[in-house]
Amino acid sequence: TPPPSQAQTVPFQTMVIGEVVKWWCNFPLYVHLMCCDCCLLGRAAQEKGLPCDHSLSLGYQCGLVSRACCDDGAPDVKTNTLAKCAQECVGNGTCACFKGYKLKPDGKNCEDINECLLGASNCRGGERCINTLGSFRCQREVSCGTGYELTDNNNCKDIDECESGTHNCAPDFMCQNTQGSFRCRPKNQCGDGYIQDALGSCIDINECLAQTGPCHPGQSCMNTVGSFTCQRNSVNCGRGYHLNDNGNRCVDIDECKGPDGECAGHGCINLVGSFRCECKIGFIFNSISRVCEDINECRHYPGRLCAHKCENAVGSYKCSCTQGFKLASDGRNCDDLNECESSPCSQECANVYGSYQCYCRRGYQLSDRDGINCEDIDECALPTGGHICSYRCHNTPGSFHCNCPATGYTLAPNGRSCQDVDECVTGTHTCSETESCFNVQGGFRCLSFECPPNYRRAGEKARVERSDTVRCVKSCQPNDISCVLDPVHSVSHTVISMPTFREFTRPEEIVFLRTMSMAHSSPHISSDIVFDILEGNVQNSFDIVKREEHGIIVGVVRQVKPLIGPLNMVLKLAMNYVTSGVVSHRNIVSVHIFVSEFWF
């Protein structure tokens, strides 16, 4: 259906095509073409003498355009002109836009005017302008409040809580709607002579206290439960009255006289036949019991009096705070309490909002039992304690320290590792002048190597280093044929020191036997080098493999099984030079191995 602003009833005889399609042609181009087709259909019906109000199902918009073109007869605007303009054509090929739009610079298309941005809206105070396509709407800014809802025409309408079922009346009460709220009325109504209180109880009405007495002149009214009786005047006076001194007339009793009066310390105002109490602040007058009752401010104004907790008192109230807070100077708000000022923690305390947090210095941890005291961390007992110190870990309050074996080691600068003491360098060894000092892990060895007969030492050294080798080469006497024919050309001694590997997972290479033979010999010479372990291979803990390094043949001695120190052994190795399947000569190497009992 067309927009409300365009839905007026206009005679077709006075309508032009641009007015009929004024709101419909603000669509893409294919809708404009469809609009022109509907117009041509109406013109064809007019030329053939057919009725303009035909029964074809063209749709609402197309039917309007078809009837307009049929009644108009010969519109001035051509169909191609309609297709040219986005909304309407005003003649001479000039385009125009509907209300709420403006012509774009291309002279054909139209764009929406933002009336809210230009201040062209007519929204009232308290309403906000919201731009829409070709127009705008006004929306109320402030809500209607409790008990009302906003209608489509921007007005506030009362919500009928009784009809919608959003009331909270008890089963014995019925809901009665009021403007912006509702009331709960008791279902059981009181009979004549009673008035119903807020709790549904029936209270007797004293008909005798009415301004117009129910009894005839000369009669006295006597109130009864639910009714009254009229008696001839006597000396009996009603409540709030007593006989005068002459005994012939009832006069008002001033209930406010006396030291205490009827209001028990509150203000008292005497009334004819009754009285009223002016209650102090914090009290309210109960018209039924006619006494001043304490007002429970905490229940009447929940969450509005105190920041945390509200406690009712006679005639007043008092505020209190939850744990971790203290009452502010205004007696209502609560300020954070700095618990750390009372030193609740054994070491360090950090105040947080409404509480506090204890924490410990390095080397301590907070107790799981109370969260206050700090307990020493036994670093040595931690899962990684075995790796904190190289040798032994000693726990101390808040820390720990590492120890090394009594002899042969000293603590490294990092305070955790143990490093070997080189007794041969420091001069603390006990080797004689004929012996060489050899440093091993955790100690030293005094070694003396003598060459066998017909061999002499190649070079002399004052001491033997960790990787030094003492080499004896063959030196035969003249005419000593057996010496010359002996294939052993040299006898060598070398010394190594090894730890006890804590985690032995793969072979460890300990000795490299380097030769002078090229890895790729002449094809005309059939030669090879064969390495062998002759003696000392305890439990086959070692093997020897041949390898090529930089074009030279090298024999690598490997430890293939774990060895637990302290342990000493001599591994006798042979380097056999084989030519044409025959050992031409041989070199013997004795490796003196010292295994420490420690892994470092």
Side-chain angles (χ1 to χ4, degrees):
T1 60
S5 61
Q6 306 294 336
Q8 295 86 353
T9 303
V10 180
F12 283 117
Q13 290 79 3
T14 61
M15 293 178 64
V16 292
I17 298 175
E19 292 175 343
V20 176
V21 298
K22 183 177 182 179
W23 57 271
W24 187 44
C25 290
N26 188 23
F27 291 93
L29 181 57
Y30 71 89
V31 179
H32 300 319
L33 297 178
M34 183 178 179
C35 174
C36 295
D37 291 340
C38 296
C39 182
L40 291 176
L41 182 62
R43 291 184 59 189
Q46 193 269 344
E47 291 174 357
K48 292 181 180 292
L50 299 175
C52 294
D53 192 10
H54 49 75
S55 59
L56 295 177
S57 299
L58 301 178
Y60 180 78
Q61 295 88 347
C62 186
L64 286 178
V65 175
S66 175
R67 288 193 296 272
C69 291
C70 179
D71 292 337
D72 187 69
D76 296 332
V77 181
K78 303 298 182 180
T79 57
N80 58 351
T81 305
L82 277 173
K84 179 181 178 181
C85 296
Q87 292 189 357
E88 63 179 347
C89 179
V90 296
N92 297 328
T94 304
C95 298
C97 298
F98 301 151
K99 183 180 179 181
Y101 296 86
K102 63 180 179 179
L103 201 60
K104 286 188 175 180
D106 60 6
K108 298 178 182 181
N109 295 303
C110 297
E111 63 181 355
D112 173 59
I113 296 175
N114 192 332
E115 293 85 356
C116 300
L117 187 62
L118 298 177
S121 68
N122 57 354
C123 294
R124 298 172 296 181
E127 294 181 340
R128 180 164 56 93
C129 178
I130 298 177
N131 186 58
T132 61
L133 193 62
S135 184
F136 64 93
R137 64 184 177 91
C138 300
Q139 179 174 309
R140 182 185 179 98
E141 288 185 333
V142 182
S143 65
C144 293
T146 305
Y148 294 89
E149 61 182 353
L150 191 66
T151 62
D152 294 337
N153 58 3
N154 222 27
N155 293 322
C156 292
K157 175 186 174 184
D158 172 57
I159 298 174
D160 190 342
E161 294 86 354
C162 301
E163 182 179 351
S164 62
T166 57
H167 62 85
N168 58 353
C169 295
D172 294 337
F173 288 76
M174 60 182 178
C175 176
Q176 177 183 351
N177 187 60
T178 62
Q179 282 296 320
S181 184
F182 63 94
R183 294 188 180 278
C184 298
R185 302 292 186 185
K187 291 182 179 179
N188 297 326
Q189 300 298 321
C190 296
D192 295 337
Y194 293 89
I195 187 173
Q196 207 160 26
D197 62 7
L199 299 178
S201 302
C202 294
I203 307 299
D204 173 52
I205 298 175
N206 190 344
E207 297 85 353
C208 299
L209 295 180
Q211 291 184 354
T212 58
C215 297
H216 297 292
Q219 293 180 334
S220 298
C221 178
M222 301 294 295
N223 185 60
T224 61
V225 178
S227 184
F228 66 96
T229 59
C230 295
Q231 296 179 353
R232 298 182 64 178
N233 289 335
S234 64
V235 294
N236 293 326
C237 297
R239 187 172 62 181
Y241 295 87
H242 65 96
L243 286 174
N244 60 2
D245 294 338
N246 296 326
N248 58 0
R249 186 166 58 93
C250 291
V251 295
D252 174 58
I253 299 174
D254 189 354
E255 293 89 351
C256 297
K257 285 185 177 180
D260 295 330
E262 294 289 340
C263 295
H266 296 272
C268 181
I269 299 176
N270 184 57
L271 302 174
V272 177
S274 183
F275 68 95
R276 178 169 55 87
C277 294
E278 289 289 339
C279 300
K280 298 177 182 178
I281 297 176
F283 293 86
I284 188 172
F285 184 67
N286 189 325
S287 60
I288 306 300
S289 62
R290 308 186 67 79
V291 296
C292 290
E293 295 179 347
D294 172 54
I295 298 175
N296 190 334
E297 295 87 353
C298 301
R299 187 174 61 208
H300 280 72
Y301 312 103
R304 294 165 56 186
L305 301 177
C306 301
H308 283 192
K309 295 189 295 184
C310 178
E311 299 176 15
N312 187 57
V314 177
S316 182
Y317 66 93
K318 62 179 180 178
C319 299
S320 61
C321 301
T322 56
Q323 186 176 1
F325 294 88
K326 60 182 179 180
L327 199 63
S329 57
D330 60 5
R332 298 178 61 183
N333 293 302
C334 294
D335 295 333
D336 175 53
L337 178 65
N338 189 352
E339 296 88 350
C340 296
E341 293 179 351
S342 60
S343 301
C345 304
S346 64
Q347 289 189 0
E348 304 295 337
C349 177
N351 185 58
V352 297
Y353 188 72
S355 185
Y356 66 96
Q357 179 64 50
C358 297
Y359 63 97
C360 303
R361 304 183 189 101
R362 184 177 180 180
Y364 293 87
Q365 63 183 0
L366 204 61
S367 172
D368 295 333
R369 295 188 300 271
D370 54 22
I372 295 177
N373 293 302
C374 293
E375 300 174 345
D376 172 55
I377 298 175
D378 189 350
E379 293 86 354
C380 302
L382 293 176
T384 58
H387 300 281
I388 292 179
C389 299
S390 295
Y391 183 54
R392 288 179 181 170
C393 176
H394 293 274
N395 185 59
T396 59
S399 184
F400 68 95
H401 68 266
C402 300
N403 286 342
C404 294
T407 59
Y409 293 92
T410 183
L411 197 63
N414 62 11
R416 297 187 178 191
S417 303
C418 294
Q419 58 187 20
D420 175 59
V421 176
D422 193 339
E423 295 85 355
C424 300
V425 173
T426 60
T428 56
H429 63 86
T430 57
C431 297
S432 63
E433 295 182 358
T434 60
E435 294 175 321
S436 296
C437 177
F438 178 73
N439 185 63
V440 297
Q441 293 180 350
F444 65 93
R445 294 292 184 272
C446 298
L447 305 175
S448 177
F449 298 112
E450 299 294 338
C451 293
N454 296 325
Y455 291 85
R456 61 178 178 81
R457 180 175 293 189
E460 293 291 338
K461 288 185 178 290
R463 63 181 291 272
V464 179
E465 297 292 346
R466 187 178 187 278
S467 59
D468 284 348
T469 299
V470 177
R471 187 165 179 266
C472 299
V473 297
K474 186 166 66 173
S475 177
C476 297
Q477 298 295 327
N479 302 323
D480 190 345
I481 302 301
S482 60
C483 177
V484 173
L485 296 179
D486 188 354
V488 179
H489 280 197
S490 67
V491 176
S492 302
H493 295 271
T494 187
V495 183
I496 63 171
S497 177
M498 299 190 311
T500 295
F501 293 108
R502 184 160 56 180
E503 296 179 359
F504 190 87
T505 57
R506 57 185 178 84
E508 295 286 340
E509 298 177 351
I510 60 173
V511 177
F512 294 87
L513 304 177
R514 305 187 184 277
T515 68
M516 300 302 294
S517 299
M518 302 298 293
H520 304 286
S521 58
S522 173
H524 304 291
I525 301 175
S526 177
S527 63
D528 192 10
I529 298 179
V530 178
F531 298 95
D532 193 15
I533 300 177
L534 302 179
E535 297 176 4
N537 192 4
V538 179
Q539 297 180 354
N540 294 321
S541 301
F542 302 92
D543 68 358
I544 185 168
V545 295
K546 186 164 63 173
R547 184 186 299 170
E548 175 187 346
E549 289 186 2
H550 306 294
I552 303 298
I553 296 176
V554 177
V556 181
V557 179
R558 305 184 306 172
Q559 179 185 344
V560 295
K561 291 183 180 180
L563 294 174
I564 308 300
L567 184 65
N568 302 334
M569 63 182 67
V570 179
L571 200 63
K572 190 173 182 180
L573 311 175
M575 298 167 48
N576 300 305
Y577 293 82
V578 180
T579 303
S580 300
V582 179
V583 177
S584 60
H585 62 278
R586 172 185 296 173
N587 293 336
I588 302 298
V589 179
S590 295
V591 182
H592 298 259
I593 300 174
F594 298 93
V595 181
S596 171
E597 63 178 305
F598 306 111
W599 62 272
F600 44 84

